[in-house]
Amino acid sequence: MAGLQIDRRRALALSLGGIAAATLPRIALAAETDAAWVDPLVQEFMTGFEVPGIAVAIVRAGQPPFLKGYGVRTLGKPGAVDAHTRFGIASNSKSFTAACLAILADEGRLGWEDPVVKHLPEFRMHDPAVTQMMTVRDLLVHRSGLPLGAGDLMYFPASARPAGDVLKALPYLTPDKGFRAGYAYDNILYIVAGLLIERVSGKSWRDFVATRIMAPLGMADAVPSRELLRTDNVAGRHARLGPPVRGMGRQQVVGPDETPAIDAAGGINASVGDVAKWLTVQLAHGQLPDGKRLWSEAQAAEMWKPQTIIGSSDGPTPDNPTRAVTQSYALGWFVSDYRGERLVAHDGGLTGQVTRTAMLPARGIGVVVLSNVEDPVSIAIRNAMLDHVMGAPAFDWSAAYAKRIEASQAAALKELGAGGVDTPPAGGPSLPLAAYAGRYRDPWYGDVVVTEQGGKLAIDFVPTPVFKSALEPWGKDAFRTRFAKDAGEDAVVTFAVADGRVIGVAMKPLSPLADFSYDFQHLAFVPVR
């Protein structure tokens, strides 16, 4: 899910009622200086890695932000990316949801340690004990015990399910570790957090974030959901669709496929100028330029306080000079060390877009990179920008990123094997094809329907309209899909057979590069009698 915004201490320059003439040349010079190094840096990455469009921001305390767009919104079309082009910031929306809860906590309407069932009595997890222990804080910090991306297939690609369906699905999502026993990123509990905000405030998550955050900040380009966009100045979506698998090949235009149900986890669309405003208030610990507050100093500290350990290492290496000693997750933010300083950051990925936000609180500096490609190249651009504003030793992030991509793709090809995705593994159907036909049900996802006609099988994922495909033999009692080219990741569908009949269906993504939101592996279908 996609990127977020960044804030800095407080942009005083425009809040003083007037700016001394002596300061104008300094601000103008700063902007010119930024363009002198940002322009060639961004162009190097755009040219080297086939990125159609980028928007960046640099936020500094006491100065207007540097904002600039580069390239085109969509390949083959003339519209340019500018400071007002809207991008889906995806999971960067999570920090907005955390801030909404912080505002409600300031007002005494909830507490971080409140059990979720206090506000949502119908809330249930797989384990009744966890249901009672789960707190508002737990919804945000990825330590529920659920596996990575659990339940995402309910909403990616788009379905007609409302957000409230997560409450029906959660009891059937099986954890793979103990409650609070470790980190695994999820979206589904942020959707629950959005429902909780609605229940406590009496306003939908959309209305709350729009009136309590976006409006006071003057985020004029931003909307809480893609379906609310009313402009054509919107970044397109691009992805490498193969061959042999998604993530390789040339950039191609793809369409958005997120649903409004995920808004609290990743639905905000905003311009780089909007995101700069968000980082500015974050760095100011919730205080607006006019002195009013969106949230208190205490809540600002709470949101940045590490909660869940993600990982640790021995620190930087020659090949990775910014490798963190400790990585953790706070409330809607990742917190780690970056060249010996605290980094508060997030990223977000949607089909065809990846975005990044980052703050160095001790310096009052924030950086935003919004891209209209599915590739993670924005992380290298972000790091290069952070290094420059810190005055860090020179490092070739372009070469490092190219090396990383080469290694990732080589590992994927090795896992696919010599046959790739065009040569099926050994084995085949053990039953007549008609015996595989039927309706199968997973308790959290819903139904798939397998049909046989003319000696061929086809599958329909009923809740996900774009997931319809012929089934091709792919090993013993297994078949692969071939969804439409930009409909998401293909799956391997394996039928469990006993006593001459199908007793269940399991799945997994076909590609080892598949995004975790295509969580086919969490499905366990049984025949519907």
Side-chain angles (χ1 to χ4, degrees), residues 50-62:
E50 300 178 278
V51 182
I54 290 279
V56 302
I58 303 170
V59 177
R60 298 182 180 91

Side-chain angles (χ1 to χ4, degrees), residues 308-506:
T308 305
I309 295 173
I310 297 172
S312 62
S313 76
D314 293 331
T317 66
D319 289 339
N320 186 357
T322 62
R323 188 171 71 154
V325 174
T326 304
Q327 296 174 293
S328 61
Y329 202 86
L331 302 180
W333 293 103
F334 291 97
V335 179
S336 63
D337 52 285
Y338 186 95
R339 295 190 180 274
E341 299 187 23
R342 180 171 61 154
L343 178 72
V344 179
H346 215 289
D347 52 25
L350 293 168
T351 294
Q353 290 185 5
V354 175
T355 54
R356 314 273 175 179
T357 58
M359 295 176 282
L360 297 168
R363 293 174 180 259
I365 291 175
V367 166
V368 186
V369 182
L370 310 180
S371 76
N372 61 2
V373 293
E374 206 166 270
D375 299 351
V377 63
S378 52
I379 188 65
I381 300 173
R382 186 207 77 170
N383 288 355
M385 293 177 67
L386 286 172
D387 282 358
H388 187 94
V389 297
M390 294 177 75
F395 183 78
D396 191 342
W397 284 107
S398 178
Y401 176 74
K403 184 177 180 180
R404 170 186 164 185
I405 294 302
E406 182 180 1
S408 173
Q409 294 186 351
L413 291 172
K414 182 178 180 180
E415 186 172 340
L416 283 170
V421 293
D422 294 314
T423 304
S430 65
L431 302 175
L433 289 185
Y436 298 99
R439 179 177 287 265
Y440 301 91
R441 180 166 296 157
D442 176 87
W444 65 263
Y445 174 78
D447 291 4
V448 297
V449 176
V450 178
T451 55
E452 185 270 335
Q453 189 172 4
K456 295 182 178 180
L457 293 180
I459 190 167
D460 178 2
F461 289 67
V462 176
T464 308
V466 299
F467 275 178
K468 293 179 174 66
S469 174
L471 287 177
E472 300 176 10
W474 201 255
K476 181 173 174 55
D477 291 318
F479 301 81
R480 64 153 293 181
T481 65
R482 287 192 188 272
F483 297 131
K485 74 164 192 172
D486 61 349
E489 294 285 353
D490 280 300
V492 176
V493 180
T494 301
F495 294 84
V497 175
D499 299 324
R501 63 186 182 88
V502 175
I503 61 172
V505 181

Side-chain angles (χ1 to χ4, degrees), residues 13-38:
L14 299 180
S15 68
L16 299 178
I19 301 175
T23 68
L24 293 176
R26 178 182 63 81
I27 293 172
L29 179 61
E32 292 165 7
T33 302
D34 285 337
W37 67 267
V38 175

Side-chain angles (χ1 to χ4, degrees), residues 71-326:
V72 295
R73 301 194 293 263
T74 304
L75 279 173
K77 297 182 179 180
V81 174
D82 60 30
H84 297 284
T85 300
R86 283 70 160 181
F87 290 77
I89 66 169
S91 285
N92 289 296
S93 304
K94 290 180 169 65
S95 64
F96 285 79
T97 295
C100 291
L101 290 168
I103 291 169
L104 291 170
D106 272 335
E107 295 173 351
R109 302 168 77 177
L110 58 76
W112 292 113
E113 307 313 322
D114 286 355
V116 174
V117 292
K118 176 180 178 180
H119 305 288
L120 290 171
E122 66 271 40
F123 173 79
R124 298 286 185 274
M125 295 293 285
H126 186 74
D127 184 338
V130 173
T131 298
Q132 297 304 313
M133 291 188 289
M134 181 82 72
T135 66
V136 174
R137 184 188 305 276
D138 288 320
L139 293 177
L140 306 186
V141 297
H142 308 300
R143 63 185 183 194
S144 68
L146 291 174
L148 174 66
D152 277 3
L153 205 63
M154 290 178 67
Y155 299 109
F156 297 98
S159 72
R161 285 188 168 107
D165 275 9
V166 298
L167 297 176
K168 302 174 185 176
L170 273 169
Y172 300 103
L173 287 170
T174 306
D176 67 354
K177 61 173 66 72
F179 180 53
R180 299 177 184 158
Y183 171 85
Y185 192 88
D186 75 78
N187 292 302
I188 196 167
L189 291 178
Y190 268 82
I191 299 174
V192 174
L195 297 172
L196 188 149
I197 289 165
E198 180 174 358
R199 188 70 58 85
V200 171
S201 71
K203 291 184 175 182
S204 68
W205 177 88
R206 284 184 180 184
D207 289 345
F208 195 93
V209 76
T211 58
R212 300 299 299 273
I213 293 178
M214 292 177 175
L217 281 175
M219 296 175 64
D221 297 329
V223 291
S225 178
R226 182 178 62 86
E227 71 174 9
L228 299 177
L229 288 169
R230 300 292 184 267
T231 176
D232 62 359
N233 193 1
V234 177
R237 309 285 183 94
H238 304 86
R240 302 180 190 275
L241 303 178
V245 293
R246 194 172 186 130
M248 300 182 188
R250 306 287 296 184
Q251 297 284 9
Q252 299 183 50
V253 177
V254 296
D257 64 357
E258 63 270 25
T259 174
I262 59 93
D263 286 347
I268 291 174
N269 280 247
S271 68
V272 74
D274 293 323
V275 180
K277 292 174 182 177
W278 177 238
L279 293 187
T280 300
V281 76
Q282 285 284 334
L283 290 166
H285 300 165
Q287 188 169 1
L288 297 170
D290 63 4
K292 294 180 181 178
R293 283 198 162 274
L294 293 184
W295 56 84
S296 65
E297 282 272 2
Q299 293 300 335
E302 197 69 34
M303 286 188 283
W304 287 1
K305 185 188 303 180
Q307 303 289 324
T308 305
I309 295 173
I310 297 172
S312 62
S313 76
D314 293 331
T317 66
D319 289 339
N320 186 357
T322 62
R323 188 171 71 154
V325 174
T326 304

